[in-house]
Amino acid sequence: MGSAFVPAQDGAAVSGDDLAGVIASVRGSGPLVHCLTNVVVSQFTANVLLAVGAAPAMVHSAEEAGALARVAGGVLVNLGTVTSVTAAAMRVAVKEAAGGGRPWVLDPVAVGPLPWRTGLAHELLESAPPAVVRGNPSEILALDGGAGGRGVDSTDVPEAALDAATGLARRYGCVVAVSGPEDVLTDGARVVRVANGHPLLPLVTGTGCALGALVAACVAVTGDALVAAAAATGLLTVAAEVAAVRSAGPGTFAVALIDELYALSPERLAGAVNLR
Amino acid sequence: MGSAFVPAQDGAAVSGDDLAGVIASVRGSGPLVHCLTNVVVSQFTANVLLAVGAAPAMVHSAEEAGALARVAGGVLVNLGTVTSVTAAAMRVAVKEAAGGGRPWVLDPVAVGPLPWRTGLAHELLESAPPAVVRGNPSEILALDGGAGGRGVDSTDVPEAALDAATGLARRYGCVVAVSGPEDVLTDGARVVRVANGHPLLPLVTGTGCALGALVAACVAVTGDALVAAAAATGLLTVAAEVAAVRSAGPGTFAVALIDELYALSPERLAGAVNLR
Amino acid sequence: MGSAFVPAQDGAAVSGDDLAGVIASVRGSGPLVHCLTNVVVSQFTANVLLAVGAAPAMVHSAEEAGALARVAGGVLVNLGTVTSVTAAAMRVAVKEAAGGGRPWVLDPVAVGPLPWRTGLAHELLESAPPAVVRGNPSEILALDGGAGGRGVDSTDVPEAALDAATGLARRYGCVVAVSGPEDVLTDGARVVRVANGHPLLPLVTGTGCALGALVAACVAVTGDALVAAAAATGLLTVAAEVAAVRSAGPGTFAVALIDELYALSPERLAGAVNLR
């Protein structure tokens, strides 16, 4: 009772082999990932999904989003450039995903300082619990009722949002993944941290949003959403480390990142990911 | 009468020199291509058109799409992320393109499993015959009344859609171009196959959609829509072969593809394209 | 009285050191730039802003655009793919930016041949004076009441639009930046020309639109909008010169341009920019 914070376990809650299994399964089965995402990152998101073997489908209309969500392997709802038109599609998609037993992932971009989308995020969460919520620390704090940041960038570190993440995870029975220099993920009981990545990652638009899409691809192939979110996080951040080696700046890095997501084997991921 | 399938001729229905002439004309005249396309591929499509010397214009509002379609060299309608807002613009654009004697190209993305856009595609086809329909086998089969695939990817080979393509071509007096490892194109009488390309092409989002835009650029400069569609197909697939040589994965490939579309001369295209 | 054209001064109206100071300030303070821009260039625009140290935020809904515009460092309104939905957001954003004392920048894409957006551009200009209008010569001529071009490309040279630019600058008390092989900028009294750049720039979609976003980043950190617009123009065009050296075509150039925008120091900019 009270502030029931669950500390990290001595051994990591998930293993590199767990992650490798998820990525092998994504590459092997090519899950259909229905993305209701923002217009800034749509191309990059689709290319990231294709690189890892998933099949992206971007359908944004209320007339169609439900039919697709009902048959998709996973559904991503990203609030980045939501308007009244796409919000209607998101409502339908979440409802039909739930009706069809399909996992959905919420990326609450810029929730906090913008009241309209904050209300929409809560409305979606209440309509059907997501498998995973992925955001930066400010967004997770705001979603839990705290003060928000100024938008898509975040001034807080993930660890500062762990209490909020745990609260959200327990309220909705979902996993919450908080992105940052060291990602922190929890299902409300277990906590896992992924200490990979590179400073160029936040200098490329859509890397966080693409992580949300990767999570949606991973929850399509495993019932353990914490392992799925950790697998997506490990894959993106390890690929980023490899890509950075052959990059001259954020332009070449974004291109190399797609190459490395395509090339990274499950075995190499298991060896390189730094979990705790 | 009956199933009047027209087989491929002994010599290819079009020649490499025919294709080279179209590409030279595009590079020389810089046709204005009005794209009503999806938000995922808009940037890539515009860069592909600029690389080959065409002038892309993306205008999506019902208030303006008609005025632009009436003066464009060619109009592309791609249903990828269509909503009620952009559907209204598409209806106006197709009507005004027809009124102005401008060719239009339909890319029926994900037609089949999604009834709303399938109805829209038929409505547009009935309102004014297109110059070319370009799609993957599942989309062409679905447009002809068959069972559809699961979205933008396709599980059928182009040859399996040739009967459907022929039927559509005759019904609307248009060319139908079916994309795949070997592209199959027909105007309902002649059939041409383009056997170029690379396995990395479908791993980059928007390569098929950009092909639709290239077709719209090519129909702007020639009255023979079969030659136009073959020229666009040959240009993209030969450039892909060259680009793949200097690519480490789908990221670098997408970038190199733009370079090679810019560099590929009509003469080199004529020498490298594999028509039958 | 009469045609009060103000000629360029013997020394340039602004100096390379002025520009360097603005860029250093952008990199140091990371201004939040609220972009209401078109779907074709959103990703590229965001990556350009991130590369120079600014914080892009793309929010397109009427429900939210006002709240963000009121707190942003600068607001960009780009009419490229405007629809009735995003036009409503633009009206709110301009009004709230003015209410909050935040500078806004207009990029009147394709104004002239398209009456609806031409009316919208004038409506926005009348509702609150912008800090800067950035366009190609055809757009500036059309905005001043002249005949327009055929869309986003321009057949006029910037110098031919100087009278129109001067007229607009005086009418709205703003700076007008005319893009081309040699950019011409004026606040209605001073005139500055930036003679940098590369022929590959117009072959990459969104370089002009990204310049508008860079201008919005620069007006966020200085009260002298002419210096801000010149700084943005110098930064993009000098980076383009460096990027072109290591490019094989427009694909690799677009990627290298992001790298060079990230790497270019204020000092190097001051040394390489060609002002007159």
Side-chain angles (χ1 to χ4, degrees):
Chain A
M1 270 197 266
S3 176
F5 169 64
V6 177
Q9 296 155 15
D10 281 328
V14 301
S15 72
D17 286 344
D18 293 336
L19 272 52
V22 172
I23 299 308
S25 182
V26 167
R27 294 214 197 268
S29 65
L32 178 65
V33 182
H34 179 193
C35 301
L36 295 112
T37 191
N38 70 73
V39 298
V40 185
V41 308
S42 294
Q43 175 182 281
F44 187 72
T45 299
N47 280 333
V48 163
L49 287 172
L50 288 168
V52 302
M58 271 73 171
V59 168
H60 300 168
S61 70
E63 290 85 353
E64 301 184 325
L68 188 60
R70 193 168 264 276
V71 300
V75 177
L76 170 68
V77 174
N78 173 305
L79 302 182
T81 56
V82 63
T83 66
S84 55
V85 175
T86 48
M90 290 171 183
R91 291 185 183 102
V92 174
V94 166
K95 186 183 162 200
E96 292 298 318
R102 309 297 170 149
W104 77 280
V105 174
L106 176 66
D107 193 331
V109 179
V111 156
L114 298 172
W116 184 71
R117 70 179 61 198
T118 306
L120 176 62
H122 286 296
E123 178 191 339
L124 294 173
L125 287 172
E126 294 296 334
S127 75
V132 181
V133 176
R134 188 221 71 86
N136 66 34
S138 296
E139 291 157 355
I140 299 304
L141 286 166
L143 204 58
D144 192 49
R150 66 174 188 172
V152 293
D153 56 344
S154 180
T155 49
D156 302 298
V157 296
E159 210 65 32
L162 180 54
D163 276 349
T166 304
L168 284 170
R170 292 180 181 176
R171 192 174 325 146
Y172 297 108
C174 68
V175 163
V176 177
V178 193
S179 301
E182 178 173 278
D183 293 61
V184 177
L185 299 79
T186 183
D187 61 3
R190 297 173 294 170
V191 177
V192 62
R193 295 173 182 83
V194 185
N196 297 87
H198 193 275
L200 282 172
L201 266 180
L203 291 181
V204 175
T205 198
T207 50
C209 298
L211 176 54
L214 286 175
V215 171
C218 291
V219 292
V221 300
T222 174
D224 188 333
L226 185 65
V227 172
T233 304
L235 181 62
L236 182 74
T237 54
V238 169
E241 292 175 357
V242 184
V245 174
R246 61 180 180 100
S247 301
T252 40
F253 172 73
V255 174
L257 182 57
I258 300 288
D259 282 354
E260 299 304 338
L261 286 167
Y262 176 70
L264 191 62
S265 68
E267 297 71 29
R268 194 171 171 195
L269 170 62
V273 70
N274 186 4
L275 302 169
R276 49 181 207 93
Chain B
M1 267 193 268
S3 176
F5 169 63
V6 177
Q9 297 153 16
D10 280 327
V14 302
S15 72
D17 285 343
D18 292 337
L19 272 52
V22 171
I23 299 308
S25 182
V26 167
R27 293 214 197 269
S29 66
L32 178 66
V33 182
H34 179 193
C35 301
L36 295 112
T37 191
N38 70 73
V39 299
V40 185
V41 307
S42 294
Q43 175 183 281
F44 187 71
T45 299
N47 281 332
V48 163
L49 288 172
L50 288 168
V52 302
M58 271 74 171
V59 169
H60 300 168
S61 70
E63 290 84 354
E64 300 185 324
L68 188 60
R70 193 167 265 276
V71 301
V75 177
L76 170 69
V77 175
N78 174 304
L79 302 181
T81 56
V82 63
T83 67
S84 55
V85 175
T86 48
M90 290 172 183
R91 290 185 183 102
V92 174
V94 167
K95 187 183 161 202
E96 292 298 318
R102 309 296 170 150
W104 76 281
V105 174
L106 176 66
D107 193 331
V109 179
V111 156
L114 298 171
W116 183 72
R117 71 179 60 197
T118 304
L120 176 63
H122 286 296
E123 178 191 339
L124 294 173
L125 288 172
E126 295 295 335
S127 75
V132 181
V133 176
R134 188 221 70 87
N136 67 35
S138 296
E139 291 157 356
I140 299 304
L141 286 166
L143 203 57
D144 192 49
R150 68 175 187 172
V152 292
D153 55 345
S154 179
T155 49
D156 303 297
V157 296
E159 209 66 32
L162 180 53
D163 276 350
T166 303
L168 283 170
R170 293 181 181 177
R171 193 174 323 147
Y172 296 108
C174 69
V175 164
V176 177
V178 194
S179 301
E182 178 173 278
D183 294 61
V184 177
L185 300 80
T186 183
D187 60 4
R190 297 173 293 170
V191 177
V192 62
R193 295 172 182 82
V194 184
N196 296 88
H198 194 274
L200 282 172
L201 265 180
L203 291 181
V204 175
T205 197
T207 49
C209 298
L211 175 55
L214 285 176
V215 171
C218 292
V219 292
V221 301
T222 173
D224 188 333
L226 185 65
V227 171
T233 304
L235 182 63
L236 182 74
T237 55
V238 169
E241 293 175 356
V242 184
V245 173
R246 61 180 181 100
S247 300
T252 41
F253 172 72
V255 174
L257 182 57
I258 299 288
D259 282 354
E260 299 304 338
L261 286 167
Y262 176 71
L264 190 63
S265 68
E267 296 71 29
R268 193 170 171 196
L269 170 61
V273 71
N274 186 4
L275 301 170
R276 50 181 207 94
Chain C
M1 266 193 268
S3 176
F5 169 64
V6 177
Q9 295 155 16
D10 281 327
V14 302
S15 72
D17 285 344
D18 293 336
L19 272 53
V22 172
I23 299 308
S25 182
V26 167
R27 294 213 197 269
S29 66
L32 179 65
V33 182
H34 178 194
C35 301
L36 296 112
T37 191
N38 71 73
V39 298
V40 185
V41 308
S42 294
Q43 175 182 281
F44 187 72
T45 299
N47 280 333
V48 162
L49 288 171
L50 288 168
V52 302
M58 272 73 171
V59 169
H60 300 167
S61 71
E63 289 84 354
E64 301 184 324
L68 188 60
R70 194 169 263 278
V71 300
V75 177
L76 170 68
V77 175
N78 173 305
L79 302 182
T81 56
V82 63
T83 67
S84 54
V85 175
T86 49
M90 290 172 183
R91 290 185 183 101
V92 174
V94 167
K95 186 182 162 201
E96 292 298 318
R102 308 298 170 150
W104 75 281
V105 174
L106 176 66
D107 193 330
V109 179
V111 156
L114 298 171
W116 183 71
R117 71 179 58 197
T118 305
L120 176 62
H122 286 296
E123 178 191 339
L124 294 173
L125 287 172
E126 294 295 335
S127 75
V132 181
V133 176
R134 188 221 71 86
N136 67 35
S138 296
E139 290 158 355
I140 300 304
L141 286 166
L143 204 57
D144 192 48
R150 68 176 188 171
V152 293
D153 54 347
S154 180
T155 48
D156 302 297
V157 295
E159 210 65 34
L162 180 53
D163 276 348
T166 303
L168 284 169
R170 293 181 181 177
R171 193 173 324 146
Y172 296 108
C174 68
V175 164
V176 178
V178 193
S179 301
E182 178 173 278
D183 293 62
V184 177
L185 299 79
T186 182
D187 61 4
R190 296 173 294 170
V191 177
V192 62
R193 295 173 182 81
V194 184
N196 296 89
H198 194 274
L200 282 172
L201 266 180
L203 291 180
V204 175
T205 197
T207 50
C209 297
L211 175 55
L214 285 175
V215 171
C218 291
V219 292
V221 300
T222 173
D224 188 333
L226 185 65
V227 172
T233 304
L235 181 63
L236 183 74
T237 54
V238 169
E241 293 175 357
V242 184
V245 173
R246 62 180 180 100
S247 301
T252 41
F253 172 73
V255 173
L257 183 57
I258 300 289
D259 282 354
E260 299 304 337
L261 285 168
Y262 176 70
L264 190 62
S265 69
E267 297 71 29
R268 194 171 171 196
L269 170 62
V273 71
N274 187 4
L275 301 170
R276 48 180 210 94

